[in-house]
């Protein structure tokens, strides 16, 4: 019976050693797999950081573009106001010039009438001088 106990213990010890060796192999495989996954996770974290930075830069760019757009809209509005003011001044000048032109045309007609009157008086004077 002592031999049987030793054999059983030897078998159990051998089974434990074999089991330990197998478990150690699995452990090493799992450790390697975990190491690979940790490296992948690290790479993914780095990519997330890069993406977050790109998003931040895009948002800042978007804010800057909005500021520029608002500035351009204000400038455009200001210039449109200037154009409207200049347009009003030009219309007033055109109106004044049209009134002056009417005055000049009236003066021209009056000058023509006076010249005709002078001609008639000159002719009458010449006729009187001849008599």
């Amino acid at each position: 019976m002592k031999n049987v106990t030793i054999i059983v213990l030897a078998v159990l010890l051998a089974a434990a050693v074999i089991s330990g060796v197998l478990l150690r192999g699995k452990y090493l495989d799992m450790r390697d797999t975990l190491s690979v996954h940790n490296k992948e996770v690290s790479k993914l974290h780095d990519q997330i950081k890069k993406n977050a930075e790109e998003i931040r830069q895009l948002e800042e760019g978007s804010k800057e573009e909005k500021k520029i757009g608002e500035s351009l809209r204000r400038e455009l509005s200001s210039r449109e106001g200037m154009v409207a003011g200049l347009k009003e001044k030009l219309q007033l000048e055109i109106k004044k010039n049209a009134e002056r032109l009417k005055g000049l045309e009236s003066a021209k007609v009056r000058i023509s009438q006076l010249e005709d009157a002078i001609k008639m008086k000159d002719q009458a004077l010449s006729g009187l001088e001849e008599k």
Side-chain angles (χ1 to χ4, degrees):
M1 177 97 172
K2 197 174 180 185
N3 284 340
V4 173
T5 306
I6 292 175
I7 291 174
V8 169
L9 285 174
V11 169
L12 287 174
L13 182 61
V17 168
I18 292 172
S19 177
V21 169
L22 291 176
L23 287 175
R24 177 159 169 73
K26 281 188 172 185
Y27 165 77
L28 293 174
D29 287 344
M30 292 296 266
R31 186 183 69 184
D32 292 342
T33 302
L34 181 62
S35 177
V36 169
H37 288 300
N38 282 338
K39 287 178 184 177
E40 290 175 1
V41 167
S42 178
K43 286 179 184 177
L44 290 173
H45 279 296
D46 290 343
Q47 188 63 42
I48 288 170
K49 287 178 185 177
K50 286 179 185 176
N51 290 345
E53 178 61 21
E54 287 178 11
I55 289 170
R56 187 191 62 76
Q57 288 175 351
L58 289 172
E59 287 173 344
E60 284 180 8
S62 178
K63 289 176 186 175
E64 186 64 28
E65 288 169 357
K66 285 180 184 177
K67 287 179 185 177
I68 291 170
E70 289 171 6
S71 174
L72 289 174
R73 277 191 282 284
R74 284 191 300 271
E75 181 69 23
L76 178 61
S77 177
S78 172
R79 290 188 183 209
E80 285 174 343
M82 290 171 51
V83 167
L86 291 173
K87 188 176 179 181
E88 280 183 38
K89 287 180 181 179
L90 183 60
Q91 287 174 344
L92 286 173
E93 284 297 318
I94 289 171
K95 192 174 184 179
K96 286 179 186 177
N97 287 338
E99 289 172 5
R100 288 181 190 149
L101 184 59
K102 283 182 186 177
L104 290 174
E105 287 174 354
S106 296
K108 187 177 176 182
V109 168
R110 180 70 178 137
I111 289 171
S112 179
Q113 290 172 347
L114 291 173
E115 286 175 343
D116 289 344
I118 290 172
K119 282 182 189 176
M120 288 174 53
K121 288 185 181 182
D122 281 345
Q123 287 172 356
L125 182 62
S126 293
L128 286 175
E129 286 177 351
E130 285 179 14
K131 286 184 182 178

